[in-house]
Amino acid sequence: MSSLFPCKNPGNQSKLPTPNLAVVKIQAWWRGTLVRRSLLYATLGALVIQRWWKQILMKLLEKRRRAALENFTREEWAAVRLQSWVRMWRIRLRYCRLLHAARIIQAFWRCHSCTSRGFIKGHYRVTASQLYLEIEILLASGSCIVTECIPLPIKQ
C-alpha cells in the first residue's frame, strides 16, 4: 500500500536537492505567516466580540442595579411616609385629647366664676371738683353697692 504523504513515511525520507529546499522553506515561512495572520484576525475578532458582550452584560447589570436601587428607595420612602403619618396621627390624637380637656376645664371655670366671683357693674360722674363713683357687685350670696365721692386736687 502506498502512502499519500511520502514525507510521513519514515522509510521514504530523502534529502531534497538544494533549490527545492529553499523553495520549501519560503513556502513554509509564507504559510506560517498566513496562519499567524489568520490567527491574529480571529483573535482580534474574538476580542471584539468579547468586549461587546462584556459591555452588554455591564449594561444589563447596571439596569438591574438601578432597578434594585429604585425599588429599595421606593420602599424606604413608603416606610418613612407611613411612619410620619402614624406620628402625625398620634400627635393629632394627643392634641385633640388635650383640647377636649382644656375645653372641659374652661367650661368648668366659666360656670364657677359665674357663681363664685359674680359681676361688677358701675358708673361714674366727673364734676369740676370731684369724682362721683358708684359700683355694684353682684355675688351669689348677695349684692353690695359701693358709693364714693373723691375730691379732685385743683391747682389755682
Side-chain angles (χ1 to χ4, degrees):
M1 184 169 184
S2 69
S3 173
L4 294 176
F5 302 106
C7 294
K8 298 272 185 179
N9 194 352
N12 205 3
Q13 287 183 354
S14 64
K15 292 214 170 194
L16 298 174
T18 27
N20 288 341
L21 184 62
V23 169
V24 169
K25 282 188 175 185
I26 291 173
Q27 287 176 348
W29 172 81
W30 182 246
R31 285 187 200 117
T33 302
L34 289 177
V35 167
R36 282 189 294 276
R37 186 183 303 165
S38 65
L39 285 176
L40 178 66
Y41 286 143
T43 304
L44 289 176
L47 287 175
V48 167
I49 292 171
Q50 287 174 353
R51 187 175 299 133
W52 171 79
W53 183 246
K54 284 182 182 179
Q55 286 178 353
I56 295 295
L57 287 179
M58 289 302 291
K59 287 179 183 178
L60 184 63
L61 182 63
E62 184 64 29
K63 282 183 182 179
R64 286 182 184 165
R65 284 180 182 168
R66 182 170 290 292
L69 180 63
E70 287 174 358
N71 189 28
F72 173 76
T73 305
R74 197 176 309 117
E75 288 176 359
E76 195 70 22
W77 274 109
V80 168
R81 185 172 289 151
L82 184 62
Q83 288 171 355
S84 70
W85 283 347
V86 168
R87 279 194 304 270
M88 180 187 66
W89 176 74
R90 291 181 65 198
I91 289 171
R92 180 174 165 73
L93 188 64
R94 184 172 180 209
Y95 172 75
C96 288
R97 285 182 190 153
L98 290 175
L99 187 63
H100 182 67
R103 287 181 178 158
I104 289 173
I105 292 169
Q106 286 173 353
F108 173 77
W109 278 107
R110 281 188 191 127
C111 184
H112 179 66
S113 68
C114 289
T115 58
S116 65
R117 292 189 181 175
F119 294 104
I120 299 175
K121 292 194 302 184
H123 64 276
Y124 66 95
R125 186 176 59 217
V126 178
T127 60
S129 61
Q130 63 182 358
L131 171 66
Y132 178 75
L133 187 62
E134 183 177 331
I135 299 175
E136 181 180 359
I137 301 173
L138 300 172
L139 295 173
S141 58
S143 66
C144 176
I145 298 175
V146 176
T147 305
E148 188 77 30
C149 285
I150 302 170
L152 295 175
I154 298 176
K155 292 186 180 179
Q156 295 186 8

